[in-house]
Amino acid sequence: MNNHSAKTPSLLWKRVLKLSILTLCCLTIFIFSTFQSTRTVAATTKCGGGVGKNPTITPFVLEKFEAIVNAAMATYDVPGVAIAIVAGDKIVYAKGFGWRNLENHEPVTPDTRFPVYSMTKAMTSAMIATLVDEGKLHWNQRVVEIWPDFTLPTTELTNTVRVRHLMQMNTGLGVDFNLFYDTRLNAISAQEPLDSLVDFPIWAGLNEEFYYNDGVYASAGYMGALAAGASYGDLFNAYEELMQERIFNPIGMESAILSLDLPAIGGDYATGYAFNLVTGVFESVHNPNLTGDAPAGLASVNVTDMARFLIMQLNQGIAPNGTRVVSARHLVKTRKPNIKINDPMFYLPYPLAQANSLHYGMGWISVEQPNGVQVIGHPGGFEGFTSDMAFIPEADVGIVTLTNLNFFYGVLSSSYFIGVVRDSLFELLYDLEPTVAKQRAEQHQLAMAEAAIPRDTIQVTFDPDTVAPYLGHYEKNWQLELRSDNTLWLVLHNIYEYQLIFLPDGTYRISNNSYLGNPVSFSTSDEGIILMSITTFGTDTVAKID
């Protein structure tokens, strides 16, 4: 077991404060472009066999791989990780590193349950494929044929969108921040993603762009439930039953549940952590229970059971126990590249990805490596956790990585980590020159240095008279309060607490919890109303109401 203590971050974290990942877009694109220009050359230099060799998991490969994992945990300050590797119809490696609970020093094991967030999409996709097998719905079926009350912002879009469009997330619909905030309180039902689609903004035409949207994808899962005979008022229970009976049970995924409230369930589970820029330590985070978006990101599972799911994928729909779960025909369709991913941020977890090679299928991302090999997978991450699974069909090999490192941490360190783990294994398997771990570490340190501000220049306490105009309640259940020690706190729904600090560049930043480093700004409207802009997955502006 790796005894790396994530309570003691790297020296860089001790000395400096990292700026928000969302203000580093130019730096991200620079790193992305630089890496694109170097990786193809590196990939042509072999240590041995080469592209034509038959990739094999050997003791030598695993020894090298473990050394890379341990080094990467130290580089990216990862509290704990569980990793499983599959080859053909067998789990050939399953191991825990570090701690599932920092406070009690409880180790991660292959049985430790983690929230996997968006990796749920691939499991939902497999369930929908079983319904297609039975003719209960079709990939190209118009959604209004399944649910006549289905309504999008325009009549034309409403009548045109197919089931596959929801799962490919190429409807052109953007993010609805009202729904996003409500999910953090478990304040939405399974029906609300469906009902709210009419209010989503239109950012592009149908089939034109890929926009990651949990509400849109969740709607596809609920269409499956409706097509299977569920009543509109019982969508979550019906979806949960379909997942249990069609995916979890036949594959043997005994740890898989549709809940993020792991403390309430107990047993061997991981606690999620986010770094606190003021105290300098990792702190546990409160996880929302995203019931309404269940088909897009509610599953929790251990790494061993996720490996069983990958075996089913590699075996073209047959579970490790020999059970036929889904037809190969429709399973393969879920993985087919359909819409190009243009956002460079999606390349961060894929260090070996060739330029312009990322495409989304239906719950899967397809990417091409420098040696021409296709990798299929999907990452997941949100509050306190980051995860990844991927497999190479031609090599009959896959890997699952589950961590309790917050998704938003130091220029997406967690995305770097899962990419290094996955692609370093693939380098070893194909005898590619091992460049990913070293290059990513250098890029990470460069990004951190570019974003660094001396800690003694940040402001943690505030003059009451200076901040008084901004204190009070805002729209969407936000509140800004000055506490007795003169620290400034943003509170959402009276549950989520974010401490604000002030930087020399004149910006406020969140210093703790799941959105650490993200900016908050204040302004005044033409009517004299105080406005607060909060950046999370985008920027939303709310008005002061008292």
Short mmCIF file of all heavy atoms in Angstrom, two decimals, residues 158-193:
data_model
loop_
_atom_site.label_atom_id
_atom_site.label_comp_id
_atom_site.label_asym_id
_atom_site.label_seq_id
_atom_site.Cartn_x
_atom_site.Cartn_y
_atom_site.Cartn_z
N THR A 158 -38.05 20.09 -30.98
CA THR A 158 -38.84 19.11 -30.24
C THR A 158 -39.23 17.94 -31.13
O THR A 158 -39.12 16.77 -30.73
CB THR A 158 -40.12 19.76 -29.68
OG1 THR A 158 -39.76 20.81 -28.77
CG2 THR A 158 -40.98 18.73 -28.96
N ASN A 159 -39.65 18.24 -32.33
CA ASN A 159 -40.15 17.20 -33.24
C ASN A 159 -39.05 16.46 -33.99
O ASN A 159 -39.32 15.47 -34.67
CB ASN A 159 -41.12 17.81 -34.24
CG ASN A 159 -42.41 18.28 -33.59
OD1 ASN A 159 -42.87 17.69 -32.61
ND2 ASN A 159 -42.98 19.36 -34.10
N THR A 160 -37.82 16.95 -33.87
CA THR A 160 -36.72 16.38 -34.65
C THR A 160 -35.78 15.52 -33.82
O THR A 160 -35.22 14.54 -34.32
CB THR A 160 -35.90 17.50 -35.32
OG1 THR A 160 -36.78 18.33 -36.07
CG2 THR A 160 -34.84 16.93 -36.25
N VAL A 161 -35.59 15.85 -32.55
CA VAL A 161 -34.59 15.17 -31.72
C VAL A 161 -34.91 13.70 -31.53
O VAL A 161 -36.03 13.32 -31.23
CB VAL A 161 -34.46 15.88 -30.35
CG1 VAL A 161 -33.77 14.99 -29.33
CG2 VAL A 161 -33.69 17.18 -30.50
N ARG A 162 -33.89 12.88 -31.74
CA ARG A 162 -33.97 11.44 -31.56
C ARG A 162 -33.34 11.01 -30.23
O ARG A 162 -32.61 11.79 -29.61
CB ARG A 162 -33.22 10.72 -32.69
CG ARG A 162 -34.05 10.31 -33.89
CD ARG A 162 -34.65 11.43 -34.66
NE ARG A 162 -35.28 10.92 -35.89
CZ ARG A 162 -36.08 11.64 -36.65
NH1 ARG A 162 -36.37 12.89 -36.34
NH2 ARG A 162 -36.62 11.11 -37.73
N VAL A 163 -33.58 9.77 -29.86
CA VAL A 163 -32.98 9.23 -28.63
C VAL A 163 -31.46 9.35 -28.70
O VAL A 163 -30.81 9.75 -27.73
CB VAL A 163 -33.39 7.76 -28.43
CG1 VAL A 163 -32.61 7.13 -27.28
CG2 VAL A 163 -34.89 7.64 -28.19
N ARG A 164 -30.87 9.04 -29.82
CA ARG A 164 -29.42 9.08 -29.96
C ARG A 164 -28.87 10.49 -29.77
O ARG A 164 -27.75 10.67 -29.26
CB ARG A 164 -28.98 8.52 -31.31
CG ARG A 164 -29.49 9.30 -32.52
CD ARG A 164 -29.03 8.68 -33.83
NE ARG A 164 -29.61 9.30 -35.00
CZ ARG A 164 -29.15 10.41 -35.57
NH1 ARG A 164 -28.08 11.00 -35.06
NH2 ARG A 164 -29.75 10.92 -36.62
N HIS A 165 -29.64 11.51 -30.16
CA HIS A 165 -29.17 12.89 -29.99
C HIS A 165 -29.00 13.23 -28.50
O HIS A 165 -28.05 13.92 -28.12
CB HIS A 165 -30.14 13.88 -30.63
CG HIS A 165 -30.19 13.80 -32.11
ND1 HIS A 165 -31.38 13.81 -32.83
CD2 HIS A 165 -29.20 13.71 -33.04
CE1 HIS A 165 -31.12 13.74 -34.12
NE2 HIS A 165 -29.81 13.67 -34.27
N LEU A 166 -29.93 12.77 -27.68
CA LEU A 166 -29.82 13.02 -26.24
C LEU A 166 -28.56 12.37 -25.69
O LEU A 166 -27.84 12.95 -24.87
CB LEU A 166 -31.04 12.48 -25.51
CG LEU A 166 -32.41 13.08 -25.85
CD1 LEU A 166 -33.50 12.39 -25.06
CD2 LEU A 166 -32.43 14.59 -25.59
N MET A 167 -28.25 11.16 -26.15
CA MET A 167 -27.11 10.42 -25.63
C MET A 167 -25.79 10.89 -26.22
O MET A 167 -24.73 10.74 -25.60
CB MET A 167 -27.31 8.92 -25.88
CG MET A 167 -28.58 8.39 -25.23
SD MET A 167 -28.85 6.64 -25.49
CE MET A 167 -27.55 5.95 -24.47
N GLN A 168 -25.84 11.46 -27.41
CA GLN A 168 -24.63 12.02 -28.02
C GLN A 168 -24.37 13.45 -27.58
O GLN A 168 -23.32 14.01 -27.86
CB GLN A 168 -24.77 11.97 -29.55
CG GLN A 168 -24.77 10.57 -30.12
CD GLN A 168 -25.32 10.50 -31.54
OE1 GLN A 168 -25.62 11.52 -32.15
NE2 GLN A 168 -25.46 9.30 -32.06
N MET A 169 -25.35 14.04 -26.90
CA MET A 169 -25.27 15.41 -26.39
C MET A 169 -24.90 16.40 -27.51
O MET A 169 -24.09 17.30 -27.34
CB MET A 169 -24.31 15.51 -25.21
CG MET A 169 -24.83 14.77 -23.99
SD MET A 169 -23.85 14.95 -22.48
CE MET A 169 -22.51 13.80 -22.81
N ASN A 170 -25.54 16.20 -28.67
CA ASN A 170 -25.36 17.10 -29.80
C ASN A 170 -26.68 17.77 -30.20
O ASN A 170 -26.90 18.10 -31.36
CB ASN A 170 -24.75 16.37 -31.00
CG ASN A 170 -25.57 15.17 -31.44
OD1 ASN A 170 -26.63 14.87 -30.88
ND2 ASN A 170 -25.09 14.46 -32.45
N THR A 171 -27.55 17.97 -29.20
CA THR A 171 -28.83 18.64 -29.45
C THR A 171 -28.65 20.13 -29.68
O THR A 171 -29.55 20.79 -30.20
CB THR A 171 -29.79 18.46 -28.27
OG1 THR A 171 -29.20 19.07 -27.10
CG2 THR A 171 -30.05 16.99 -27.99
N GLY A 172 -27.51 20.68 -29.25
CA GLY A 172 -27.27 22.12 -29.32
C GLY A 172 -27.69 22.85 -28.07
O GLY A 172 -27.53 24.06 -27.97
N LEU A 173 -28.23 22.12 -27.07
CA LEU A 173 -28.68 22.75 -25.84
C LEU A 173 -27.51 22.99 -24.89
O LEU A 173 -26.63 22.13 -24.73
CB LEU A 173 -29.72 21.87 -25.14
CG LEU A 173 -31.04 21.65 -25.89
CD1 LEU A 173 -31.96 20.76 -25.08
CD2 LEU A 173 -31.73 22.98 -26.18
N GLY A 174 -27.51 24.17 -24.26
CA GLY A 174 -26.48 24.51 -23.29
C GLY A 174 -26.90 24.18 -21.87
O GLY A 174 -27.83 23.40 -21.64
N VAL A 175 -26.24 24.79 -20.89
CA VAL A 175 -26.43 24.48 -19.48
C VAL A 175 -27.45 25.43 -18.86
O VAL A 175 -27.40 26.64 -19.08
CB VAL A 175 -25.11 24.57 -18.71
CG1 VAL A 175 -25.32 24.33 -17.23
CG2 VAL A 175 -24.10 23.58 -19.27
N ASP A 176 -28.36 24.87 -18.06
CA ASP A 176 -29.32 25.66 -17.29
C ASP A 176 -28.81 25.76 -15.86
O ASP A 176 -28.82 24.78 -15.12
CB ASP A 176 -30.69 24.99 -17.33
CG ASP A 176 -31.73 25.71 -16.47
OD1 ASP A 176 -31.44 26.85 -16.05
OD2 ASP A 176 -32.80 25.14 -16.22
N PHE A 177 -28.35 26.95 -15.44
CA PHE A 177 -27.76 27.10 -14.12
C PHE A 177 -28.77 26.96 -12.99
O PHE A 177 -28.42 26.58 -11.88
CB PHE A 177 -27.03 28.45 -14.01
CG PHE A 177 -25.66 28.42 -14.61
CD1 PHE A 177 -25.43 28.98 -15.84
CD2 PHE A 177 -24.62 27.81 -13.95
CE1 PHE A 177 -24.17 28.94 -16.42
CE2 PHE A 177 -23.35 27.77 -14.51
CZ PHE A 177 -23.12 28.34 -15.74
N ASN A 178 -30.03 27.30 -13.24
CA ASN A 178 -31.03 27.11 -12.19
C ASN A 178 -31.10 25.63 -11.79
O ASN A 178 -31.14 25.30 -10.60
CB ASN A 178 -32.40 27.58 -12.68
CG ASN A 178 -32.49 29.09 -12.79
OD1 ASN A 178 -32.15 29.80 -11.87
ND2 ASN A 178 -32.92 29.57 -13.94
N LEU A 179 -31.12 24.75 -12.77
CA LEU A 179 -31.18 23.32 -12.49
C LEU A 179 -29.88 22.87 -11.83
O LEU A 179 -29.89 22.04 -10.92
CB LEU A 179 -31.42 22.54 -13.78
CG LEU A 179 -31.75 21.05 -13.62
CD1 LEU A 179 -33.10 20.88 -12.94
CD2 LEU A 179 -31.74 20.35 -14.97
N PHE A 180 -28.75 23.44 -12.27
CA PHE A 180 -27.46 23.05 -11.70
C PHE A 180 -27.41 23.33 -10.21
O PHE A 180 -26.99 22.50 -9.41
CB PHE A 180 -26.34 23.81 -12.41
CG PHE A 180 -24.99 23.64 -11.77
CD1 PHE A 180 -24.30 22.45 -11.91
CD2 PHE A 180 -24.43 24.66 -11.02
CE1 PHE A 180 -23.06 22.28 -11.31
CE2 PHE A 180 -23.19 24.49 -10.42
CZ PHE A 180 -22.50 23.30 -10.57
N TYR A 181 -27.86 24.51 -9.79
CA TYR A 181 -27.83 24.83 -8.36
C TYR A 181 -28.77 23.93 -7.57
O TYR A 181 -28.45 23.50 -6.47
CB TYR A 181 -28.22 26.30 -8.14
CG TYR A 181 -27.18 27.28 -8.60
CD1 TYR A 181 -27.52 28.38 -9.38
CD2 TYR A 181 -25.85 27.12 -8.24
CE1 TYR A 181 -26.56 29.29 -9.80
CE2 TYR A 181 -24.88 28.01 -8.66
CZ TYR A 181 -25.24 29.10 -9.44
OH TYR A 181 -24.29 29.99 -9.85
N ASP A 182 -29.94 23.65 -8.13
CA ASP A 182 -30.90 22.82 -7.41
C ASP A 182 -30.40 21.41 -7.18
O ASP A 182 -30.72 20.78 -6.18
CB ASP A 182 -32.23 22.77 -8.17
CG ASP A 182 -33.01 24.08 -8.07
OD1 ASP A 182 -32.69 24.88 -7.18
OD2 ASP A 182 -33.92 24.30 -8.90
N THR A 183 -29.58 20.89 -8.10
CA THR A 183 -29.07 19.53 -7.92
C THR A 183 -28.21 19.43 -6.67
O THR A 183 -28.10 18.36 -6.07
CB THR A 183 -28.24 19.07 -9.13
OG1 THR A 183 -27.10 19.91 -9.27
CG2 THR A 183 -29.06 19.09 -10.40
N ARG A 184 -27.60 20.51 -6.26
CA ARG A 184 -26.70 20.47 -5.11
C ARG A 184 -27.46 20.30 -3.80
O ARG A 184 -26.87 20.05 -2.77
CB ARG A 184 -25.85 21.74 -5.08
CG ARG A 184 -24.97 21.87 -6.31
CD ARG A 184 -24.20 23.17 -6.29
NE ARG A 184 -23.36 23.24 -5.11
CZ ARG A 184 -22.23 22.58 -4.92
NH1 ARG A 184 -21.81 21.76 -5.86
NH2 ARG A 184 -21.53 22.70 -3.83
N LEU A 185 -28.75 20.46 -3.82
CA LEU A 185 -29.56 20.23 -2.63
C LEU A 185 -30.38 18.96 -2.75
O LEU A 185 -31.23 18.69 -1.91
CB LEU A 185 -30.53 21.41 -2.42
CG LEU A 185 -30.28 22.33 -1.25
CD1 LEU A 185 -31.50 23.18 -1.01
CD2 LEU A 185 -29.91 21.58 0.01
N ASN A 186 -30.14 18.18 -3.79
CA ASN A 186 -31.02 17.07 -4.12
C ASN A 186 -32.45 17.58 -4.24
O ASN A 186 -33.41 16.94 -3.80
CB ASN A 186 -30.94 15.97 -3.04
CG ASN A 186 -31.62 14.69 -3.48
OD1 ASN A 186 -31.76 14.45 -4.68
ND2 ASN A 186 -32.04 13.89 -2.54
N ALA A 187 -32.59 18.77 -4.82
CA ALA A 187 -33.89 19.44 -4.88
C ALA A 187 -34.63 19.14 -6.17
O ALA A 187 -35.70 19.68 -6.40
CB ALA A 187 -33.70 20.95 -4.73
N ILE A 188 -34.08 18.28 -7.03
CA ILE A 188 -34.79 17.98 -8.26
C ILE A 188 -35.18 16.51 -8.28
O ILE A 188 -34.46 15.65 -7.78
CB ILE A 188 -33.97 18.33 -9.52
CG1 ILE A 188 -32.77 17.40 -9.66
CG2 ILE A 188 -33.53 19.77 -9.50
CD1 ILE A 188 -32.09 17.51 -11.00
N SER A 189 -36.31 16.25 -8.85
CA SER A 189 -36.78 14.89 -9.02
C SER A 189 -36.32 14.37 -10.38
O SER A 189 -35.75 15.11 -11.18
CB SER A 189 -38.31 14.86 -8.95
OG SER A 189 -38.86 15.56 -10.06
N ALA A 190 -36.60 13.11 -10.63
CA ALA A 190 -36.26 12.54 -11.93
C ALA A 190 -37.06 13.19 -13.04
O ALA A 190 -36.63 13.18 -14.20
CB ALA A 190 -36.51 11.04 -11.91
N GLN A 191 -38.22 13.76 -12.71
CA GLN A 191 -39.06 14.37 -13.73
C GLN A 191 -38.53 15.74 -14.16
O GLN A 191 -38.76 16.18 -15.30
CB GLN A 191 -40.50 14.54 -13.21
CG GLN A 191 -41.26 13.23 -13.03
CD GLN A 191 -40.77 12.43 -11.83
OE1 GLN A 191 -40.35 12.98 -10.82
NE2 GLN A 191 -40.81 11.11 -11.95
N GLU A 192 -37.84 16.42 -13.28
CA GLU A 192 -37.46 17.80 -13.55
C GLU A 192 -36.46 17.98 -14.70
O GLU A 192 -36.54 18.98 -15.42
CB GLU A 192 -36.98 18.47 -12.27
CG GLU A 192 -38.14 18.76 -11.33
CD GLU A 192 -37.71 19.46 -10.05
OE1 GLU A 192 -37.38 20.66 -10.12
OE2 GLU A 192 -37.70 18.81 -9.00
N PRO A 193 -35.48 17.07 -14.88
CA PRO A 193 -34.64 17.24 -16.08
C PRO A 193 -35.46 17.22 -17.36
O PRO A 193 -35.18 17.97 -18.31
CB PRO A 193 -33.69 16.03 -16.01
CG PRO A 193 -33.59 15.73 -14.56
CD PRO A 193 -34.97 16.00 -14.01
#
